[in-house]
Amino acid sequence: MKNLLCSVAVCLSVLFVLAQTNEAAIPCGTVDMKAAACISFATGKDAIPLAPCCNGLQQLAQSVKSVDDKKAICRCLKAGVKNFAGVQDKFLSQLPTACKIKVGFPVSMITNCETIRF
């Protein structure tokens, strides 16, 4: 009986660990691809974000399964905007409202991604 209980405990522990690590954070390549169409708005070249921008951000928002996903998206966005000259925080912060999406964290070049909560 003791061996059976130990076996069950080990199996449950393994299942718990697998459940916790099964969902990988969203890769930066995906974030970059989905957010690329937003650069013209983020630099002030377009007065409003274009449909491909909002569609990409909506897809990203829908793909979030965990707080780690949100943190990964935040980190990727912060890293990605550094590659584009002229990106302005005042436009970045308007993206969620302009695209009518809820992201659950401030979209900004100075956001501390590690403080994001689900």
Side-chain angles (χ1 to χ4, degrees):
M1 181 71 159
K2 186 176 178 180
N3 286 342
L4 177 63
L5 288 175
C6 287
S7 295
V8 169
V10 168
C11 286
L12 288 175
S13 297
V14 169
L15 288 175
F16 179 76
V17 169
L18 288 175
Q20 297 298 313
T21 59
N22 194 25
E23 293 293 325
I26 298 168
C28 284
T30 299
V31 175
D32 294 346
M33 184 178 67
K34 300 290 184 189
C38 300
I39 294 300
S40 59
F41 177 76
T43 56
K45 292 179 183 169
D46 289 334
I48 60 170
L50 302 176
C53 166
C54 291
N55 291 340
L57 295 181
Q58 182 65 43
Q59 290 170 4
L60 276 176
Q62 290 173 347
S63 68
V64 171
K65 304 278 190 272
S66 69
V67 70
D68 288 336
D69 287 343
K70 281 188 178 189
K71 288 178 180 182
I73 290 170
C74 177
R75 287 189 295 264
C76 292
L77 288 174
K78 283 182 69 172
V81 297
K82 290 178 183 176
N83 295 322
F84 296 94
V87 171
Q88 297 180 47
D89 220 29
K90 67 180 181 179
F91 298 123
L92 285 176
S93 65
Q94 294 174 15
L95 277 168
T97 302
C99 289
K100 297 178 177 74
I101 59 170
K102 292 183 182 183
V103 294
F105 61 89
V107 177
S108 169
M109 292 186 283
I110 60 168
T111 297
N112 181 347
C113 301
E114 303 315 309
T115 63
I116 294 173
R117 303 284 177 245
F118 207 34

